[in-house]
Amino acid sequence: MHRQRVMIRTFGLAAAVALAATGCGPQKSGAAPAAPSSPVAGSSPAASPSTPDDGKAGASSPAASPSQPSSPSASAPSSPGVKPIMANGDESEQIRELQARLRQLKLLSTAPTGFYGSKTTAAVKTFQSQHGLGATGSVDEATWQKIQGLSKKPTDDELRPPTTNEVDAPDPRCMQGRVMCISKESRTLAWMIDGKVVSTMDVRFGSENTPTREGEFQVGWKAKEWTSTIYHTSMPYSMFFSEGQAVHYSSDFAARGYAGASHGCVNVRDKAKLSALFDQVKVGDKVVVYW
């Protein structure tokens, strides 16, 4: 209560209302999902695409909260009579291995996620074209055998690399002003000023049950030290942009990587980078979360 009274004096009544729902924290296996807050009045979060891409939030490990079941997409292209074993819209550990092998073959630059999206589809099409296979973009038995024959069994580090993700092309809304440009596809945050990237860092999102909202927002308030009022977990360097959702450091993300998920916040695992970003970002700066 003392902390809330301090925040009320600092940020006023509007911020005090937001404090009642700062609900981000790491998801734990078997924990009941919390209902996500409604979007901020006046904001226009973009609807999630029907076929999200490789960086699907919370989809990178069985340890994360469950998301879409693994089943071939009805719209996945395939040759008549040839049944795909992996296709756009699917999610599995076999797809994580496929992505790691495609990285070995220099056909995929992003880290494996286990979700088969547009980048994986494009990489598979390129491979098929290079080797005289039907360029469907989905993996049938012949394509899978060829990929396995030309690559080696991925190591644990290749399946879940600790390295920084490659930054995605910025959304057009990120090209003007001061923006935290956050891509769900590449799982990166790019701090941009007038269209130029100043710094980048890996991020993690909410699960399928507690998704991180997409759209264009503003930083409403900041707190260098904060504790979730719902989950009672530490949220250092919090920058709130959509009610209880914030960009903040996560020790769970630093320890477990993409084997977990947040309850809707944008987690950062590099504390030093986020500390520097926290000092630069001002209340009122733009936040864009997009696929």
Side-chain angles (χ1 to χ4, degrees), residues 143-221:
T143 299
W144 183 227
Q145 288 182 5
K146 191 72 172 178
I147 290 174
Q148 288 178 306
L150 294 173
S151 58
K152 60 182 177 65
K153 184 175 178 59
T155 65
D156 289 342
D157 283 345
E158 287 177 313
L159 290 170
R160 291 178 173 81
T163 55
T164 301
N165 297 329
E166 181 180 345
V167 178
D168 199 6
D171 184 275
R173 293 169 292 181
C174 300
M175 300 308 292
Q176 292 183 343
R178 300 163 55 87
V179 192
M180 284 194 284
C181 193
I182 302 169
S183 169
K184 283 189 169 183
E185 179 172 359
S186 64
R187 298 188 295 190
T188 56
L189 182 157
W191 170 234
M192 301 180 64
I193 299 178
D194 296 329
K196 295 182 179 179
V197 176
V198 178
S199 63
T200 63
M201 55 203 73
D202 294 349
V203 294
R204 186 179 72 171
F205 303 99
S207 70
E208 189 77 8
N209 295 318
T210 57
T212 303
R213 289 185 279 273
E214 298 152 28
E216 182 177 327
F217 311 92
Q218 287 185 331
V219 175
W221 56 284

Side-chain angles (χ1 to χ4, degrees), residues 49-50 52 56-59 65-71 89-92 114-115 208:
S50 58
K56 186 176 182 182
S65 298
S67 54
Q68 296 289 347
S70 177
S71 59
D90 290 353
E91 181 179 349
S92 69
F115 185 79
E208 189 77 8

Side-chain angles (χ1 to χ4, degrees), residues 255-266:
R256 294 201 296 150
Y258 293 103
S262 77
H263 282 97
C265 282
V266 178

